Amino acid sequence: MLQEDDPIVKFKLSMLDRCLPAESAVVFGDVWRVDGGYTVACAERGCERVLLVDGLETPAWQEERLRQPRIDFMKGDFSNPLFMSSFADRFDVGVAFDILLHQPAMLGTLNLLLAKVDKRFCVVQPMLEEQSQPGALVYLPGNAAGRDIYPLEAP
């Protein structure tokens, strides 16, 4: 679950607070390292229905899901157009925290995610400003300094 004293978690929750309240939310890729923590946060902040879409499942997430009747789960690859077309649900809010840099076709994946959202889309994606190219951004995996700012290793 979430370590709410962590500054990054605080920032993401503050972004979520700006998008809510809402009746429904879909959260993409919220299992690794957080076991559905932001999905649970949506439910705790008043969403009547929250769907988590991820290809990963953990025992901690499964237990949390059983405790939360307003939360549902679809296991699959949200970057796959066939999987994403397998459900027609639409949501008021979409949440994508730290997932885009892992997608081989970032814009295609972003298009698939946005197609499920009717009102607001909350995205947090760490990037670094490219010092040699004004106005350009670099994904953290493309810059060794990124590991110092946002380590990808599990605690």
Side-chain angles (χ1 to χ4, degrees):
M1 292 311 291
L2 301 178
Q3 297 176 1
E4 294 196 26
D5 58 332
D6 181 305
I8 294 171
V9 172
K10 285 181 184 179
F11 173 73
K12 291 175 185 175
L13 289 173
S14 74
M15 295 299 292
L16 206 56
D17 287 337
R18 291 178 179 189
C19 292
L20 299 174
E23 188 173 313
S24 62
V26 58
V27 184
F28 300 98
D30 188 38
V31 175
W32 189 70
R33 292 183 68 182
V34 294
D35 297 311
Y38 297 105
T39 303
V40 172
C42 287
E44 290 173 346
R45 285 161 169 76
C47 291
E48 290 300 317
R49 178 169 183 246
V50 186
L51 174 66
L52 170 55
V53 181
D54 202 328
L56 179 64
E57 250 182 304
T58 63
W61 160 243
Q62 291 171 343
E63 290 172 14
E64 188 62 39
R65 181 178 170 220
L66 292 174
R67 284 192 288 272
Q68 301 277 350
R70 293 180 291 169
I71 293 176
D72 202 0
F73 178 64
M74 289 195 70
K75 187 172 184 175
D77 180 1
F78 49 77
S79 71
N80 182 317
L82 293 175
F83 170 74
M84 292 296 280
S85 66
S86 72
F87 63 103
D89 305 56
R90 310 263 318 157
F91 300 86
D92 293 336
V93 174
V95 180
F97 290 161
D98 307 324
I99 62 166
L100 292 175
L101 64 91
H102 302 290
Q103 306 310 312
M106 181 193 72
L107 293 178
T109 299
L110 188 56
N111 183 56
L112 292 171
L113 305 183
L114 289 170
K116 300 295 182 185
V117 180
D118 287 330
K119 295 181 180 176
R120 294 176 294 279
F121 191 72
C122 184
V123 60
V124 174
Q125 183 58 63
M127 299 174 112
L128 295 176
E129 184 175 354
E130 178 56 63
Q131 300 300 315
S132 66
Q133 301 292 321
L137 297 174
V138 174
Y139 278 118
L140 290 178
N143 188 323
R147 286 187 292 279
D148 296 332
I149 297 168
Y150 199 83
L152 296 177
E153 293 82 33

